[in-house]
Amino acid sequence: MKDEICRYNQIDPAIEARIDGLLSQMTLDEKVGQLVQMSPHAPIDPEEMMKRIKEAQEAGQPPQRVYHPRPGLDDMIRAGRVGSILNLPDVHWINHYQQLAVRESRLGIPLIVGADVIHGLRTVFPIPLAESCTWDPPLLERAARVAAEEASACGIDWTFAPMVDIARDPRWGRIAEGAGEDTTLGMAMARARVRGFQAGDLASGRRVAACPKHYVAYGAAQAGRDYHTVDISERTLREVYLPPFKAAFDAGAGSVMSSFNEIGGVPATANAFTLRTVLRDEWQWPGMVLSDYDAVKELIPHGIAADLKDAARLGILAGLDMEMASEAYTTHLAALVREGAVPESVVDEAVRRVLRLKLQLGLFEHPYTDEALADQILLRDDFRALALQVACESIVLLKNEGGLLPLSPGEGRIAVIGPLADARHDLLGCWASNGRAEDVESVLDGMAVYLGSSDRLAHVSGCPVKDEGPADIPAAVAAAHEADVVVLVVGESANMSGEARSRSHLGLPGRQQELLDAIAQTDKPIVGVLVTGRPLVIPRMAGQVDALLVAWHGGIRAGRAVADLLFGAAVPSGKLTASWPRTEGQIPVYYAQKSTGRPMEGAGTTQFFEPFKSRYIDEPNDPLFSFGYGLSYTTFDYSDLEVHTPLVDANGTLVVSARVANTGPRAGTEVVQLYVRDLVASVTRPVKELKGFQRVTLQAGEAQTVRFELPADQLGFPGLDMRRVVEPGAFQVWVGPDSAAGLEGHFEVQ
Ligand code: NOJ
């Protein structure tokens, strides 16, 4: 299958016939076994676990991954009681378990080995939120493909990625794992990542399946608290949260992971509406559904299952095919069938979907992984080069007063200050358990490439990231006094974002703001470099620094990427994919908001009565930095907006163009964005919706006409009856540099 993208969202009659053959030979217990994804690790008590995590943190490393096999696992696999294992970072052990399944179980059905390969395995790329700031789907396809190459070389068949949850709440730590706040952008990133993971010509000769997650609306957790209640309308579900999943399936994904949250009273793990009505009846999708970790068992504390058996019954009847970790299916499902509480046909359907994926992956033909491969594949030079490119493109320049950046490597003294200047492990970000600190270039390492061990480069950390150790702010201030410019590297450590890492205060943690306040007193020019897994609330910092780069948790090459941008070897082109609030009190703040009956701007019944508009009395409505925003070292001018189709047929195509000119001193890349607004519809519409984007590279002085062609059906939405409709009427359209600016035009759909 050279150079192809594998599609696991399709039915192949030959494969179905093989499944029929297998099903007809399987005992009920063997069928249930296929629905069991088991952790292969020996149970470890929580105290010991915390101890290991702490030790690893102190050593600046991910938690030690010495493998302790789960007692009894060999026999369970031999007995056909296990269909899948997860997160086992050891190809030798994977081959061992696979051999037991293939050679020693009665029917020889291979295991499918899953793992969290979220933004690279050993070649750790920037966190997905950062990656999305590239607005470069072909690049992210290549990055996902590298992740698949490495995963596959390590015996992994199935990656629990991409996370396609729309996230509009930066308090939620998992905003780090997705593509931000916008559905159209999220769909583009979902497609790209699925295609990359499912590349058909991996060096291992094997394949990897993507598993988009978390189905669904996980990102809408109340108050940004992880695992918390989700209560949204069916309209918002259909319009905002479901489409990235559909996009991932249409790109070929053949599995999905259900989410931990409830949706309007029914946990996603047992939600027949999302799992059956939407996936099967409406979308006719033949893929398989995996639960999240322990989520079947969690139906008990959710309060809809009386006990583990009840949880198993609810899960399987709702359409949940495979259970991750908690052992409701393995313990109770066969009995439920024997007692008549669950029809065997329901189990058969679930098993069919699991076997379908295994057969499509070719696991029956190629169950094993060549153990010599990892050494040749991991961290290959071309992978590291790609990680640098992604890191460079993901960095967002938010401020550059007086053109402070780029700095000149040839002159002046630089004080590099801040607890993250020399950080390695923290640049890996969340979900990088196979990443290694020694593979990472810190910001200081990157700067040393330009300045060598020159005495023009001084480094003082000033304070720890959090309040966990001694600070020496006066030493930092002294270094700043000696310097011509300060590069201040501050932000969040890796373990402050990701799963179960919700924060209610989004400012700089620990004493970092105090450090900045002290440095600001020196009146030296300050370049802020933010290392973070989420949008932060930094109005004070934004006012204090002269230039501001968001470097995110940028992966193994982040430090080099920062240095390349600081010294002008590369030009920033990243743009934000999630709004940066002015204050936590604005959250959720996102550009695609609704107008309300009393909008702040534009026509409204109360437009002359300021106090009675939809507003805060103590802050503006808009965020500090908007969705789509990001600067360059050059400038771009937009002109000549042309709406080529002022009247668009409902099944026609909207054509809009604008001239974009590079009016600054050097070459640069601009992300040109297309937004629309449906002015009057049967249901309220957002004040702006992203409908397209293009990355355009222009030399200094060069101009280009950028043309968008948008099929009019993409102007549709779920109508009053929840069916998709494109309604006739007037629209506004913008072409511009971000969601808060742009040239405006009009068209009408007829
Ligand atoms: C829980 C997380 O929610 C999910 O994203 C992950 O894939 C599983 N654990 C497995 O590690």
Side-chain angles (χ1 to χ4, degrees):
M1 236 215 187
K2 283 273 170 235
D3 287 333
E4 272 179 33
I5 307 296
C6 299
R7 303 180 66 81
Y8 305 125
N9 63 332
Q10 281 161 1
I11 300 273
D12 171 350
I15 285 185
E16 299 307 303
R18 285 178 74 182
I19 299 172
D20 291 337
L22 281 166
L23 272 171
S24 68
Q25 299 172 60
M26 291 170 87
T27 64
L28 180 57
D29 285 332
E30 284 166 340
K31 289 177 184 172
V32 170
Q34 288 306 308
L35 309 183
V36 172
Q37 182 177 74
M38 202 162 263
S39 166
H41 300 277
I44 148 170
D45 78 275
E47 248 174 57
E48 174 62 23
M49 168 95 91
M50 289 319 290
K51 207 177 113 215
R52 283 191 207 170
I53 292 176
K54 199 159 171 267
E55 280 168 8
Q57 268 169 11
E58 278 164 12
Q61 291 286 354
Q64 255 310 303
R65 303 302 293 262
V66 180
Y67 177 54
H68 302 279
R70 177 190 179 115
L73 182 58
D74 284 8
D75 287 341
M76 283 186 277
I77 294 175
R78 280 191 191 101
R81 303 284 307 267
V82 180
S84 174
I85 53 173
L86 80 155
N87 286 347
L88 176 55
D90 188 319
V91 62
H92 178 70
W93 276 99
I94 288 175
N95 278 340
H96 162 77
Y97 290 129
Q98 196 62 290
Q99 257 184 57
L100 296 179
V102 171
R103 299 213 187 128
E104 298 186 34
S105 77
R106 196 176 69 90
L107 294 172
I109 300 176
L111 300 167
I112 177 170
V113 178
D116 288 290
V117 184
I118 309 296
H119 50 115
L121 187 127
R122 182 75 184 272
T123 303
V124 179
F125 287 85
I127 52 166
L129 178 65
E131 287 188 319
S132 70
C133 294
T134 65
W135 297 62
D136 195 344
L139 182 68
L140 299 196
E141 182 175 329
R142 287 165 63 203
R145 191 204 150 93
V146 166
E149 288 283 9
E150 294 193 341
S152 179
C154 293
I156 295 161
D157 311 305
W158 191 20
T159 173
F160 305 140
M163 187 188 101
V164 303
D165 297 315
I166 299 300
R168 295 177 165 180
D169 192 330
R171 293 171 298 186
W172 190 52
R174 304 200 80 170
I175 194 171
E177 295 174 53
E181 73 180 45
D182 185 68
T183 302
T184 297
L185 188 76
M187 290 169 74
M189 299 309 177
R191 278 184 214 108
R193 291 194 170 117
V194 168
R195 290 171 56 85
F197 288 134
Q198 298 193 167
D201 56 350
L202 301 178
S204 64
R206 304 174 80 246
R207 294 174 184 172
V208 171
C211 183
K213 66 188 187 184
H214 305 83
Y215 188 75
V216 55
Y218 185 33
Q222 284 177 1
R225 207 178 78 205
D226 207 4
Y227 319 124
H228 200 6
T229 309
V230 170
D231 195 0
I232 58 176
S233 67
E234 185 180 336
R235 176 171 310 289
T236 302
L237 192 65
R238 288 186 181 279
E239 202 172 321
V240 177
Y241 292 91
L242 284 171
F245 288 93
K246 182 74 166 68
F249 298 154
D250 290 346
S255 69
V256 75
M257 186 188 295
S258 63
S259 54
F260 286 124
N261 54 284
E262 70 163 73
I263 306 158
V266 184
T269 312
N271 194 310
F273 172 69
T274 53
L275 297 182
R276 283 200 192 283
T277 309
V278 176
L279 289 186
R280 310 299 178 198
D281 303 347
E282 294 182 18
W283 294 354
Q284 303 281 312
W285 178 68
M288 73 112 136
V289 182
L290 167 72
S291 82
D292 203 340
Y293 203 98
D294 270 355
V296 177
K297 182 165 88 185
E298 290 171 13
L299 294 175
I300 304 169
H302 266 298
I304 66 160
D307 51 31
L308 199 61
K309 188 170 182 180
D310 205 19
R313 184 182 61 83
L314 288 168
I316 193 79
L317 289 179
L320 183 92
D321 300 322
M322 184 184 270
E323 178 188 15
M324 184 194 290
S326 62
E327 291 166 26
Y329 282 14
T330 192
T331 319
H332 297 293
L333 194 47
L336 284 163
V337 172
R338 288 189 189 108
E339 289 159 15
V342 171
E344 187 158 353
S345 59
V346 171
V347 173
D348 285 355
E349 267 312 298
V351 175
R352 174 177 293 280
R353 289 193 277 260
V354 172
L355 293 178
R356 186 178 289 142
L357 186 60
K358 289 185 174 183
L359 285 160
Q360 288 172 325
L361 276 167
L363 287 173
F364 287 74
E365 292 72 30
H366 304 286
Y368 306 116
T369 308
D370 171 359
E371 291 177 22
L373 204 58
D375 280 345
Q376 301 156 31
I377 297 278
L378 301 191
L379 222 53
R380 240 166 52 184
D381 285 349
D382 53 330
F383 296 175
R384 295 187 70 252
L386 191 68
L388 176 60
Q389 187 185 347
V390 178
C392 267
E393 285 192 24
S394 74
I395 293 174
V396 185
L397 177 67
L398 292 179
K399 183 177 180 183
N400 194 16
E401 229 162 64
L404 175 61
L405 292 179
L407 304 173
S408 157
E411 59 197 59
R413 282 160 307 170
I414 304 177
V416 186
I417 293 174
L420 289 158
D422 201 19
R424 290 196 171 77
H425 169 66
D426 285 320
L427 296 182
L428 295 171
C430 57
W431 290 114
S433 57
N434 296 292
R436 299 198 187 160
E438 65 261 28
D439 299 339
V440 180
E441 285 158 282
S442 69
V443 173
L444 266 180
D445 295 334
M447 293 180 72
V449 170
Y450 290 86
L451 298 179
S453 53
S454 149
D455 54 7
R456 290 194 288 111
L457 185 68
H459 165 236
V460 181
S461 94
C463 66
V465 175
K466 291 178 265 181
D467 285 319
E468 77 269 48
D472 193 349
I473 292 178
V477 171
H481 275 298
E482 295 295 308
D484 299 297
V485 59
V486 174
V487 174
L488 186 80
V489 191
V490 290
E492 293 187 315
S493 49
N495 63 5
M496 293 185 76
S497 57
E499 186 179 351
R501 295 289 186 270
S502 296
R503 292 180 63 199
S504 59
H505 302 282
L506 297 180
L508 294 176
R511 296 180 64 185
Q512 295 182 80
Q513 182 61 52
E514 188 186 330
L515 173 68
L516 169 54
D517 290 347
I519 302 292
Q521 295 283 322
T522 66
D523 277 339
K524 298 287 176 164
I526 305 174
V527 180
V529 176
L530 276 171
V531 169
T532 176
R534 52 153 66 79
L536 296 172
V537 171
I538 47 138
R540 185 172 170 85
M541 175 180 188
Q544 288 169 313
V545 297
D546 301 274
L548 185 56
L549 282 172
V550 185
W552 310 108
H553 292 144
I556 56 169
R557 306 300 309 276
R560 178 60 191 269
V562 168
D564 285 355
L565 292 172
L566 286 176
F567 294 115
V571 177
S573 62
K575 302 237 187 187
L576 297 178
T577 57
S579 308
W580 282 48
R582 294 171 189 277
T583 156
E584 290 85 349
Q586 288 182 313
I587 297 171
V589 57
Y590 52 94
Y591 84 94
Q593 58 184 315
K594 299 291 185 74
S595 161
T596 80
R598 296 183 172 193
M600 262 310 277
E601 276 135 31
T605 48
T606 54
Q607 61 180 313
F608 300 113
F609 300 105
E610 245 345 270
F612 295 98
K613 290 184 168 185
S614 178
R615 64 192 280 267
Y616 299 100
I617 58 172
D618 53 3
E619 282 287 351
N621 283 2
D622 62 342
L624 188 62
F625 298 109
S626 303
F627 174 84
Y629 182 75
L631 300 169
S632 169
Y633 293 156
T634 188
T635 47
F636 297 100
D637 180 61
Y638 285 70
S639 66
D640 305 321
L641 178 78
E642 215 176 310
V643 180
H644 301 265
T645 51
L647 282 180
V648 193
D649 225 51
N651 43 31
T653 301
L654 169 71
V655 183
V656 182
S657 66
R659 188 169 176 275
V660 182
N662 181 344
T663 50
R666 51 185 300 170
T669 299
E670 169 73 335
V671 179
V672 182
Q673 300 162 40
L674 173 78
Y675 295 89
V676 303
R677 177 176 184 177
D678 186 344
L679 287 165
V680 181
S682 55
V683 297
T684 62
R685 306 298 308 139
V687 295
K688 262 189 184 179
E689 287 179 271
L690 181 76
K691 288 294 170 188
F693 57 90
Q694 290 179 40
R695 282 175 61 87
V696 182
T697 299
L698 297 172
Q699 300 304 312
E702 194 190 350
Q704 190 181 312
T705 297
V706 179
R707 184 180 166 96
F708 290 95
E709 297 189 6
L710 185 78
D713 69 297
Q714 289 181 30
L715 299 168
F717 54 88
L720 281 170
D721 59 359
M722 295 297 160
R723 282 175 210 273
R724 204 173 157 78
V725 58
V726 181
E727 290 184 356
F731 282 73
Q732 271 168 301
V733 60
W734 295 263
V735 175
D738 59 67
S739 63
L743 303 172
E744 186 187 323
H746 297 267
F747 67 93
E748 208 165 298
V749 172
Q750 55 179 7

